[in-house]
Amino acid sequence: MEKKNFIDCERKQFTKLLKFRLPNTFMFVGITIAALSIVSMFVNAFVLEGDNHWLKLLSQKTLLIGMLIMSISKDKIEDEMTIQLRSQSYMIAFIVGVIYAMFMPYVEFGVSNMVHNGGENYKDLGDFQVLLFMLMIQLMFYHNLKRYR
């Protein structure tokens, strides 16, 4: 009997985690955070002088946080169809993100060698670039799937 209670408790916790969504008002919070981080990236690139590596990293992390908040916020009308569309968009984003992470370094390497006549080193993608790409794909596909349902 203890084993069955333990399994039920674990299943309940897992279901609770899978159904976690922020309230609809957090969509505006996520958009605001993402917009402010993009503005700070432009300010860092074009207005401020010197090496502000800390500001670049802070802007990148806050952009990811803003997009994650947008991604897990509920819609005004949250039903089974929107839950399924959200799941499909996460699946598409994961698959496309893996393909992107596998092939993009080779594409960059080939293009940079053609432009600079060889001698370029192979560079791996950073975590920010892959996560940003996956979140953008998820948000784009979710809103497009929702529009065409």
Side-chain angles (χ1 to χ4, degrees):
M1 193 66 174
E2 278 184 33
K3 185 176 179 182
K4 184 173 168 92
N5 288 338
F6 179 74
I7 291 172
D8 288 340
C9 181
E10 289 294 315
R11 181 179 299 130
K12 202 182 285 185
Q13 291 294 334
F14 189 63
T15 305
K16 186 177 177 182
L17 181 66
L18 287 176
K19 291 184 178 183
F20 175 75
R21 296 280 178 257
L22 293 173
N24 182 32
T25 55
F26 276 86
M27 178 62 83
F28 178 72
V29 172
I31 291 171
T32 305
I33 291 172
L36 288 175
S37 359
I38 291 171
V39 167
S40 73
M41 286 179 179
F42 278 111
V43 167
N44 186 27
F46 299 115
V47 177
L48 298 178
E49 294 181 11
D51 186 27
N52 296 324
H53 188 68
W54 63 272
L55 183 59
K56 178 182 174 185
L57 289 175
L58 181 68
S59 300
Q60 289 176 347
K61 301 305 180 197
T62 55
L63 178 61
L64 289 177
I65 290 170
M67 291 181 73
L68 180 64
I69 290 172
M70 291 167 52
S71 176
I72 60 176
S73 295
K74 285 183 181 178
D75 285 339
K76 287 181 183 178
I77 301 171
E78 190 82 14
D79 57 0
E80 291 85 13
M81 179 65 119
T82 58
I83 292 170
Q84 181 183 9
L85 294 176
R86 190 181 309 271
S87 297
Q88 288 175 350
S89 69
Y90 280 121
M91 180 188 67
I92 292 169
F94 179 76
I95 292 170
V96 172
V98 168
I99 292 170
Y100 174 78
M102 286 174 32
F103 291 111
M104 195 59 188
Y106 297 110
V107 171
E108 284 184 17
F109 178 70
V111 170
S112 67
N113 279 333
M114 286 192 311
V115 171
H116 298 297
N117 294 326
E120 290 292 317
N121 292 331
Y122 172 83
K123 293 185 290 187
D124 206 9
L125 295 177
D127 57 346
F128 170 73
Q129 191 173 354
V130 173
L131 291 173
L132 178 70
F133 180 77
M134 288 175 74
L135 282 169
M136 287 184 349
I137 292 294
Q138 189 274 325
L139 289 168
M140 179 185 70
F141 269 96
Y142 176 64
H143 290 287
N144 279 334
L145 287 171
K146 198 170 63 170
R147 185 180 338 159
Y148 298 124
R149 61 178 157 163

